[in-house]
């Protein structure tokens, strides 16, 4: 008998407004607040659109490390596809890893165990999509551009849900140096990696891929499904002190193959724009939980379905109906309580230039894209693209934008160099600056990396935080692979940067954040697994002096993602509370040598996870349903949910006019906005817009190509 269906997220996603203390003034339909396209304008509220494609190394990596993003995407009804690079055949025994159970489990049968894992995955996806694990699938074989074949499974009741099985051999070891693996193929230790076909697959001829063929095969899947959001694992999680990867080698090298395939796919002439989001895998074991109890329980329920917990023969497959290895611990190593992004958690990618011009930056197609609006009543334009960062390179998810004293904008990011040999692979910090205020951006420049040894293996630098002094000198703060804080400072405004400085700290998580308070004192903060560390530079000091620290803050444990915002003579920190996702905040006020922190206040909210954007009176972040939520901070803590899922982190900016604008990148690779007018308006009270696309869609063409884009260029208009 099928398991009882769990409550679906559809009802939660359909909810428009959820108030913690009353309701907000945001309204859907006619907007009475000032909008980019004029007052009294009508905008269409944003909903989740586009298509999401996950690529993981093994069956269950998606359930452990990408949920609840995955289940929530399915609940919206958009096209959702998951690609499994290996068959996950392990030792071929569908039982726990235990010597005394091996004889009882019978002889090893890798093809059958891989098939059992497929059965479990199909059951979990069927349950996420329909509520019934027994919902039928249609299985077929398709040729790939790499010269092999892949199995494609289509959920009959929800044909927009697809599974693609590449069926390559797994490493069969977390960190062992096995040449017959994705790692061996990437590093050139084997000329080709062979398939491990499952016992029930419609793919019949055995095949193998060279490195280039494997990249081509994955890129071909992208071309078939045309995703607007690609999700994959972390290609650079770092190493332990003993030199082993902090993650499973298949996760690491599978993600590198995805990077290479996305770079190849981005060269296609006819495709939609896409973003790429990386997820933390095994390192979640040592980090605080991020999900609220309800989200964690739902995630665990799908894992239990995959794990075939009841051991009943409901699927009729001789291989078994799920993964009994997972049944011994369906929570993983605490993974059922957590989801984390390893890139793109920064909230400082939206900024205001001179004359009220706004700039928003995000990485699309492996390049830095931007949208801009010349004035309060002007329409948004974009996406447009900065020049590429060089052949064989991709810009990682996330951007940091700062305004220089002369009005020019500088944008920072990290870049991955794929290279032509395994030794070429690495990551560095890059930046580009406008030639003049409001003008074009100059070429990308590299600041290198603070990691100087084993670059292809470590390269686990975080995203940059950037501070600008009154003279226009920029300082870049980065978490290095040793999880300490490093910095580089310009020797003069517009000039070269000095060497990387060591600023200390230990066990840093997430990206550092920085802000300057009203007295001119610079603050830098970084989370650890247990608290938050602070570095400060006194306002009376020389602008070229480094920050001092680290100082203990006494703040409680956070989920690792921080946001800093100036507030009077201090800087206010915002963070998520572990296990609930609620937002906490504390004001860092005057103190010597370290700031003094106010007691933590709760901002309430809707649970959720990931970064929080804040500016003016507006607070934005991911609600417990996964949708974009917003609240005003100078009144009762009332939160409004949209009907839109997004990727990465939100950003917000308080315009000189008094209006606050917040932005997210939707799963459709489009910029979406919400605005909160100043408190006093002609009719009294406050009105705000719903979330809406910055650039409205073109009218629908007969061929359905309204939002078709050309690779590397702006939307066709």
């Amino acid at each position: 008998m099928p398991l009882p269906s769990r409550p679906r997220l559809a009802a939660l996603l359909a909810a428009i407004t959820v108030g913690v203390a009353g309701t907000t003034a945001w309204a859907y339909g006619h907007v009475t607040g000032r909008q980019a396209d004029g007052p009294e304008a009508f905008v269409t509220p944003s909903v989740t659109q586009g298509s999401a494609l996950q690529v993981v190394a093994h069956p269950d990596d998606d359930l452990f490390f990408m949920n609840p993003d995955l289940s929530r995407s399915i609940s919206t009804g958009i096209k959702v596809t998951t690609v499994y690079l290996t068959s996950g055949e392990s030792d071929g025994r569908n039982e726990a890893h235990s010597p005394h159970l091996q004889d009882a489990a019978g002889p090893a049968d890798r093809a059958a165990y891989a098939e059992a894992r497929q059965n479990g995955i199909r059951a979990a996806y069927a349950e996420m999509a329909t509520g019934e694990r027994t919902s039928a699938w249609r299985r077929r074989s398709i040729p790939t551009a790499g010269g092999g074949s892949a199995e494609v499974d289509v959920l009959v009741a929800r044909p927009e849900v697809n599974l693609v099985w590449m069926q390559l051999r797994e490493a069969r070891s977390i960190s062992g140096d096995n040449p017959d693996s994705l790692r061996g193929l990437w590093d050139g230790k084997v000329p080709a990696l062979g398939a491990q076909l499952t016992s029930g697959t419609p793919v019949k001829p055995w095949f193998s891929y060279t490195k280039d063929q494997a990249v081509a095969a994955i890129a071909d899947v992208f071309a078939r499904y045309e995703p607007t959001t690609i999700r994959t694992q972390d290609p650079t999680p770092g190493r332990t002190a003993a030199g082993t990867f902090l993650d499973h080698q298949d996760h690491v090298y599978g993600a590198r193959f995805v990077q290479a395939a996305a770079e190849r796919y981005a060269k296609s002439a006819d495709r939609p724009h896409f973003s790429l989001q990386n997820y933390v895998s095994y390192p979640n074991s040592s980090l605080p939980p991020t999900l609220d109890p309800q989200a964690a329980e739902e995630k665990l329920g799908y894992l239990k379905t995959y794990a075939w917990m009841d051991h009943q023969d409901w699927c009729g497959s001789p291989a078994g109906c799920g993964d009994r290895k997972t049944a011994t611990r369906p929570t993983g190593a605490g993974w059922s309580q957590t989801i984390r992004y390893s890139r793109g958690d920064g909230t400082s990618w939206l900024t205001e230039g001179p004359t009220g011009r706004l700039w928003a930056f995000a990485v699309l197609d492996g390049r830095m894209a931007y949208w801009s609006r010349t004035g309060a009543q002007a329409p948004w334009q974009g996406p447009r693209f900065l020049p590429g960062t060089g052949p064989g390179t991709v810009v990682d998810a996330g951007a940091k934008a700062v305004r220089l004293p002369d009005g020019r904008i500088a944008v920072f990011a990290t870049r991955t160099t794929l290279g032509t040999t395994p030794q070429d692979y690495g990551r560095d910090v890059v930046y580009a600056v406008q030639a003049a205020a409001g003008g074009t951006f100059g070429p990308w420049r590299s600041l290198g990396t603070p990691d100087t040894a084993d670059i292809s293996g470590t390269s686990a630098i975080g995203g940059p935080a950037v501070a600008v002094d009154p003279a226009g000198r920029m300082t870049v703060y980065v978490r290095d692979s040793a999880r300490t804080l490093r910095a580089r400072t310009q020797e003069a405004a517009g000039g070269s940067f000095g060497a990387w400085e060591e600023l200390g700290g230990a066990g840093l998580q997430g990206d550092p954040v920085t802000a300057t308070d009203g007295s001119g004192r610079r603050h830098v903060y970084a989370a650890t697994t247990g608290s938050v560390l602070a570095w400060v530079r006194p306002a009376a000091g020389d602008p070229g002096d480094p920050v001092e620290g680290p100082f203990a803050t006494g703040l409680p444990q956070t989920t690792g993602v921080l946001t800093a915002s100036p507030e009077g003579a201090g800087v206010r920190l915002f963070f998520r509370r572990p296990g609930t996702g609620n937002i906490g905040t504390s004001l860092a006020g005057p103190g010597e040598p370290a700031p003094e922190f106010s007691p933590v206040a709760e901002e309430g909210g809707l649970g959720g996870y990931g970064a929080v954007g804040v500016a003016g009176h507006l607070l934005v972040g991911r609600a417990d349903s996964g949708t974009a939520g917003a609240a005003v901070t100078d009144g009762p803590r009332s939160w409004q949910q949209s009907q839109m899922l997004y990727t990465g982190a939100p950003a917000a900016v308080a315009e000189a006019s008094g209006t606050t604008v917040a932005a997210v990148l939707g799963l459709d690779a489009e910029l979406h906005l919400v605005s909160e007018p100043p408190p006093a308006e002609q009719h009294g009270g406050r009105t705000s817009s719903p979330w809406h696309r910055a650039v409205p869609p073109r009218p629908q063409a007969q061929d359905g190509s309204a939002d078709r884009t050309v690779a590397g260029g702006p939307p066709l208009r």
Side-chain angles (χ1 to χ4, degrees):
M1 296 292 292
L3 293 173
S5 60
R6 282 181 287 274
R8 300 266 313 280
L9 276 172
L12 189 57
L13 287 168
I16 292 177
T17 303
V18 177
V20 175
T23 59
T24 65
W26 282 286
Y28 287 84
H30 290 280
V31 181
T32 57
R34 179 178 58 81
Q35 293 298 298
D37 50 354
E40 303 298 333
F42 180 85
V43 295
T44 302
S46 296
V47 295
T48 303
Q49 294 180 315
S51 62
L53 186 147
Q54 296 72 225
V55 189
V56 293
H58 311 118
D60 77 9
D61 290 343
D62 46 347
L63 301 181
F64 273 126
F65 308 122
M66 295 180 181
N67 247 347
D69 280 359
L70 170 61
S71 61
R72 289 165 176 171
S73 298
I74 291 172
S75 293
T76 66
I78 65 170
K79 183 192 298 182
V80 176
T81 304
T82 301
V83 182
Y84 302 91
L85 297 179
T86 79
S87 290
E89 68 276 9
S90 186
D91 60 1
R93 299 178 184 275
N94 196 11
E95 280 295 346
H97 291 285
S98 177
H100 73 274
L101 290 176
Q102 288 190 5
D103 291 339
D109 188 335
R110 289 190 166 94
Y113 177 54
E115 176 71 14
R117 296 188 76 171
Q118 281 198 8
N119 290 333
I121 287 292
R122 282 187 284 268
Y125 272 74
E127 190 167 64
M128 285 188 284
T130 71
E132 299 295 335
R133 69 179 179 182
T134 56
S135 194
W137 294 82
R138 183 174 67 252
R139 303 172 66 179
R140 62 191 176 97
S141 174
I142 63 168
T144 68
S149 298
E151 177 181 336
V152 175
D153 298 347
V154 178
L155 185 59
V156 175
R158 292 278 304 276
E160 71 275 12
V161 178
N162 283 206
L163 307 175
V164 179
W165 308 90
M166 305 300 287
Q167 297 193 90
L168 288 170
R169 186 188 192 276
E170 70 153 80
R172 302 176 186 175
S173 169
I174 293 175
S175 58
D177 192 6
N178 182 358
D180 289 316
S181 63
L182 292 170
R183 176 184 180 184
L185 186 63
W186 182 273
D187 288 345
K189 294 182 178 180
V190 290
L193 180 62
Q196 171 60 69
L197 301 181
T198 69
S199 59
T201 184
V203 175
K204 297 309 176 187
W206 184 88
F207 60 89
S208 64
Y209 290 142
T210 65
K211 179 179 180 179
D212 187 70
Q213 288 172 331
V215 172
I218 301 168
D220 181 45
V221 173
F222 296 162
R224 289 173 183 266
Y225 286 95
E226 297 187 325
T228 52
T229 297
I230 296 175
R231 297 165 172 154
T232 191
Q233 293 167 279
D234 188 355
T236 54
R239 294 182 186 266
T240 67
T244 59
F245 285 114
L246 289 169
D247 204 348
H248 195 296
Q249 60 181 309
D250 283 345
H251 300 171
V252 174
Y253 284 90
R256 295 186 185 188
F257 272 102
V258 172
Q259 283 183 302
E263 191 263 347
R264 180 173 300 195
Y265 171 60
K267 298 174 182 176
S268 304
D270 184 21
R271 55 160 178 77
H273 292 307
F274 65 90
S275 66
L276 192 149
Q277 180 73 65
N278 299 102
Y279 288 75
V280 177
S281 299
Y282 283 3
N284 278 320
S285 302
S286 60
L287 301 176
T290 64
L291 297 178
D292 63 83
Q294 181 179 351
E297 181 182 3
E298 182 179 10
K299 177 175 178 175
L300 179 59
Y302 299 132
L303 283 160
K304 288 181 176 180
T305 296
Y306 163 75
W308 193 24
M309 296 294 290
D310 61 6
H311 218 174
Q312 295 180 8
D313 183 16
W314 57 266
C315 68
S317 171
C321 301
D323 183 1
R324 294 294 295 164
K325 281 183 169 61
T326 300
T328 61
R329 190 172 61 171
T331 59
W335 303 329
S336 65
Q337 299 174 297
T338 294
I339 184 173
R340 275 189 177 82
Y341 308 131
S342 58
R343 307 278 187 276
D345 252 339
T347 62
S348 300
W349 49 270
L350 179 67
T351 192
E352 184 177 19
T355 67
R357 183 167 188 175
L358 294 187
W359 299 82
F361 298 86
V363 177
L364 300 179
D365 314 336
R367 296 171 59 190
M368 185 62 70
Y370 68 91
W371 295 257
S372 64
R373 188 203 68 186
T374 57
Q377 301 299 315
W380 283 84
Q381 301 290 330
R384 296 188 173 99
F385 288 82
L386 271 63
T389 57
T393 67
V394 292
V395 181
D396 302 326
K400 167 70 179 183
V402 294
R403 177 177 168 174
L404 303 179
D406 61 7
R408 292 179 300 150
I409 304 298
V411 59
F412 289 75
T414 61
R415 168 182 65 177
T416 295
T417 297
L418 300 171
T420 57
T421 69
Q423 293 72 32
D424 294 331
Y425 187 93
R427 297 177 64 226
D428 62 337
V429 179
V430 293
Y431 73 103
V433 184
Q434 286 178 321
T440 59
F441 283 83
W444 287 101
R445 303 173 186 177
S446 176
L447 294 178
T449 172
D451 296 329
T452 57
D454 189 24
I455 293 200
S456 68
T458 56
S459 292
I461 56 175
V466 184
V468 182
D469 69 21
R473 291 181 294 189
M474 296 183 287
T475 300
V476 180
Y477 300 96
V478 174
R479 186 206 72 222
D480 64 15
S481 291
R483 301 203 171 269
T484 69
L485 188 66
R486 307 290 288 273
R488 285 192 74 174
T489 300
Q490 273 185 313
E491 296 173 349
S496 60
F497 282 73
W500 286 103
E501 303 171 74
E502 298 182 1
L503 299 181
L508 304 187
Q509 305 296 326
D511 298 335
V513 295
T514 182
T516 301
D517 64 28
S519 68
R521 188 185 198 190
R522 180 180 299 175
H523 301 233
V524 181
Y525 296 99
T528 68
T529 55
S531 184
V532 176
L533 296 178
W535 291 257
V536 294
R537 192 187 70 189
D542 188 297
D545 289 344
V547 294
E548 300 175 0
F551 300 107
T553 64
L555 290 173
Q557 186 182 56
T558 75
T559 61
V561 184
L562 307 175
T563 302
S565 179
E567 184 175 311
V571 167
R572 184 168 292 278
L573 281 181
F574 295 83
F575 45 83
R576 297 276 191 179
R577 305 299 296 268
T580 67
N582 289 340
I583 298 168
T585 180
S586 178
L587 180 65
E592 293 295 340
E596 295 182 355
F597 286 83
S598 67
V600 174
E602 300 290 341
E603 291 290 342
L606 307 169
Y609 50 89
V612 177
V614 61
H617 302 288
L618 193 61
L619 189 65
V620 294
R622 187 173 278 103
D624 55 0
S625 65
T627 59
V632 292
T633 60
D634 62 341
R637 293 299 185 263
S638 300
W639 282 80
Q640 179 211 353
Q641 292 190 59
S642 68
Q643 290 183 294
M644 174 188 55
L645 301 178
Y646 65 95
T647 187
V653 62
E655 299 182 85
S657 65
T659 298
T660 302
V661 177
V664 297
L665 186 67
L667 298 189
D668 55 1
E670 293 285 349
L671 183 69
H672 295 257
L673 306 171
V674 69
S675 62
E676 195 273 328
E681 291 198 298
Q682 57 181 346
H683 301 296
R686 299 162 69 162
T687 58
S688 299
S689 70
W691 287 96
H692 59 281
R693 275 180 57 164
V695 180
R698 293 184 300 123
Q700 186 74 24
Q702 289 185 355
D703 63 359
S705 59
D707 284 322
R708 198 64 176 162
T709 57
V710 173
L716 294 174
R717 302 214 176 275

